[in-house]
Amino acid sequence: NYPQIVSRELFHKANEIISNRQKPHESKNVYLCKGLIKDTMTGGTLVAIASTLTYQLNHVNNKISLNINAMDYIALFAADVLRSNILSAQAEKNANEYEAKVAGNNYLIAAKQAQIKEYEKAIERAIDMNIKQPKYFPTERMERVIKQNDALIGKLKEAIADIQTENTRMENAMSGTQQFINTLYGLSDDKKKEMIDSLIDRIEVTRLEHYKYKIVIKSKIGQIVGHHFEYELIGRKIHICLVYPDTMKLDLTDRMNAHKRFTRKRYNGK
């Protein structure tokens, strides 16, 4: 038997560290278009290839390779438009409901204020009667009338305050809805993917020329009617644009480059 050089506790700790080092690296990259890009010719689904930063289709009848940053930006741009449309429509609906509710509340306030004036007149009459005909309208009776009407006025004022508080709450809620209409770009990758999956059913890719593709977004709430994207590789540079129904094009290349999410180092987990 040899003397123990390393304690049992230290030996197990070292083995645990070695074991953890040998575990395969788990990629934390989020592919925003994962499972969404479909080739219209073959019906195949493009898959993300980390080493080349591309979504690829290797079908016997068609081969496609699209840059991940470009496609993720297209998906994000489309999802942002869809989300803004939904929120704007909801905000408009809320605004109409808010205006109708506030109008109804203001009518109630006016009616209660009219009642308060009637009770105040009743108090004034009681005081006047007590002054002019104290024998027939004694002080005790006057005080009773004043007390009763004061109580009614107090309840009406409380009701008016509650209605005004409700109006303020609705106004604040409306302001919050307007402020919530923001873009997706500040969200985490996981949240972006979650939002894209909730809005986009699929992304259809059609080859127009050898390095030029038509990208159509099919949403879960109806297609962005008449709009599609064009993806083109010119030399070694990728160009993307949004094509409107009248064939006018909005170049999104600079925006896409400014929003580039990944480099090869990041995708390789280095």
Side-chain angles (χ1 to χ4, degrees):
N1 293 333
Y2 295 96
Q4 184 174 334
I5 299 174
V6 180
S7 67
R8 188 177 299 275
E9 182 182 351
L10 185 57
F11 174 79
H12 288 309
K13 185 67 177 176
N15 277 341
E16 182 181 344
I17 292 172
I18 293 171
S19 176
N20 287 335
R21 283 178 180 172
Q22 291 174 343
K23 287 182 179 178
H25 174 75
E26 293 183 6
S27 173
K28 294 182 180 179
N29 299 317
V30 179
Y31 304 88
L32 300 186
C33 293
K34 182 180 180 181
L36 295 177
I37 308 176
K38 311 289 183 182
D39 172 33
T40 57
M41 177 180 174
T42 64
T45 302
L46 279 69
V47 297
I49 307 298
S51 60
T52 58
L53 285 179
T54 55
Y55 291 107
Q56 291 187 10
L57 176 74
N58 289 309
H59 191 277
V60 65
N61 294 323
N62 199 18
K63 295 187 184 299
I64 298 175
S65 180
L66 302 173
N67 179 267
I68 281 176
N69 285 311
M71 291 305 299
D72 281 4
Y73 180 75
I74 288 174
L76 195 61
F77 184 97
D80 193 45
V81 170
L82 291 168
R83 177 175 176 267
S84 296
N85 288 344
I86 292 171
L87 292 175
S88 296
Q90 185 61 47
E92 183 177 355
K93 179 184 176 183
N94 290 345
N96 292 335
E97 292 176 355
Y98 163 76
E99 290 173 2
K101 184 66 175 175
V102 168
N105 282 349
N106 288 340
Y107 175 81
L108 289 175
I109 289 173
K112 293 182 186 303
Q113 287 173 336
Q115 285 181 292
I116 288 174
K117 287 182 179 180
E118 290 300 319
Y119 293 138
E120 287 174 343
K121 287 179 181 179
I123 291 174
E124 290 173 1
R125 285 195 298 268
I127 295 172
D128 188 59
M129 289 284 290
N130 176 254
I131 293 172
K132 292 180 178 179
Q133 299 180 353
K135 183 177 180 180
Y136 298 103
F137 207 92
T139 300
E140 294 81 3
R141 185 178 177 185
M142 176 194 71
E143 290 175 345
R144 189 166 58 250
V145 171
I146 292 173
K147 185 177 180 180
Q148 289 173 346
N149 284 281
D150 264 343
L152 293 170
I153 289 171
K155 289 181 179 179
L156 286 169
K157 286 183 175 179
E158 287 179 3
I160 288 172
D162 288 341
I163 295 171
Q164 289 173 333
T165 299
E166 183 183 7
N167 281 353
T168 301
R169 179 188 59 77
M170 289 191 296
E171 182 180 352
N172 291 338
M174 281 300 301
S175 298
T177 300
Q178 292 297 334
Q179 292 170 5
F180 189 66
I181 302 178
N182 297 320
T183 63
L184 293 170
Y185 304 108
L187 300 178
S188 68
D189 284 349
D190 287 331
K191 289 293 183 182
K192 287 175 184 174
K193 176 61 175 168
E194 183 181 330
M195 186 64 69
I196 285 171
D197 286 344
S198 70
L199 294 169
I200 296 178
D201 181 61
R202 64 190 183 279
I203 301 171
E204 296 183 347
V205 178
T206 304
R207 189 190 299 276
L208 300 176
E209 299 171 14
H210 189 55
Y211 292 114
K212 188 174 182 178
Y213 301 89
K214 178 180 178 180
I215 312 291
V216 176
I217 306 295
K218 296 288 186 176
S219 76
K220 293 182 177 179
I221 57 169
Q223 183 188 340
I224 305 177
V225 180
H227 296 62
H228 68 271
F229 298 86
E230 280 186 1
Y231 174 112
E232 187 173 9
L233 183 63
I234 302 175
R236 298 184 66 180
K237 292 185 178 181
I238 298 162
H239 295 261
I240 58 172
C241 62
L242 176 63
V243 183
Y244 292 93
D246 57 3
T247 70
M248 185 181 78
K249 297 183 179 182
L250 173 63
D251 194 321
L252 300 174
T253 303
D254 289 341
R255 299 187 198 183
M256 181 269 292
N257 288 329
H259 189 260
K260 189 175 290 185
R261 300 170 58 244
F262 296 117
T263 64
R264 284 195 185 178
K265 277 192 173 182
R266 182 175 172 187
Y267 257 88
N268 289 333
K270 296 179 181 177

